[in-house]
Amino acid sequence: MESTPLAEQLAAAERGAAAPYVDYPPTPWWYAPSLGAWAAAMIGTFTWWRENAGLFVASLAGLIAVEILFVVWMRRRHGALPMPAKGTPPAEIARMWRGYVATLPVVALIVGLVWWLVGVPAAAGTAFVLVTAGLAFYERRYAVAAAATRARLR
């Protein structure tokens, strides 16, 4: 099949549209454990919600501030932070996002069950393990999906 100027333009447009999703710098080694620790800390704040409202509100506000700073850092680092449910990612990346979104309620259910059956500290530990392992897995799979997209769009 011969390449036409229109086909070349369409391919270039598709590569450009995919660029924010596939030209994504690898995350640092501490990314998954720090988000796991943040999730555990967020759950851990509920230890105080009935005992000390001031401590609960202060720790919640601090964790939200850390989250905002982290998102700002990620946007500056990447230049454009693609987010699930925003934009039109390549098919390979869209599959990853669907899997990620489908997994979130499962993790929440598991953490909620541990919280209900065992308590807040165990739920915080469970959240740390699940979030850290889940993000590490997602990051590896995302890199594979991005490489497959780059290979397809060559």
Side-chain angles (χ1 to χ4, degrees), residues 29-40 107 124-140:
W29 66 268
W30 50 263
Y31 172 75
S34 66
L35 288 179
W38 182 88
V107 169
T126 302
F128 175 78
V129 169
L130 291 177
V131 169
T132 300
L135 281 175
F137 177 76
Y138 174 79
E139 287 292 316
R140 284 192 305 275

Side-chain angles (χ1 to χ4, degrees), residues 5-146:
L6 180 58
E8 290 172 12
Q9 288 175 346
L10 290 172
E14 189 175 8
R15 280 191 301 276
Y21 302 95
V22 299
D23 295 337
Y24 199 83
T27 54
W29 66 268
W30 50 263
Y31 172 75
S34 66
L35 288 179
W38 182 88
M42 185 63 88
I43 291 167
T45 63
F46 286 90
T47 301
W48 300 305
W49 82 287
R50 287 188 180 162
E51 299 165 16
N52 188 331
L55 191 55
F56 172 70
V57 170
S59 61
L60 199 56
L63 287 167
I64 291 170
V66 166
E67 180 181 12
I68 291 167
L69 290 171
F70 183 77
V71 170
V72 167
W73 172 77
M74 285 291 284
R75 283 191 175 189
R76 284 188 181 155
R77 180 175 181 268
H78 184 266
L81 188 60
M83 299 296 289
K86 294 193 180 199
T88 306
E92 298 87 347
I93 303 299
R95 256 191 313 279
M96 291 302 307
W97 283 4
R98 283 191 301 273
Y100 181 86
V101 170
T103 303
L104 290 177
V106 174
V107 169
L109 179 64
I110 292 169
V111 171
L113 282 171
V114 170
W115 186 334
W116 182 49
L117 296 171
V118 184
V120 173
T126 302
F128 175 78
V129 169
L130 291 177
V131 169
T132 300
L135 281 175
F137 177 76
Y138 174 79
E139 287 292 316
R140 284 192 305 275
R141 299 292 299 153
Y142 192 100
V144 169

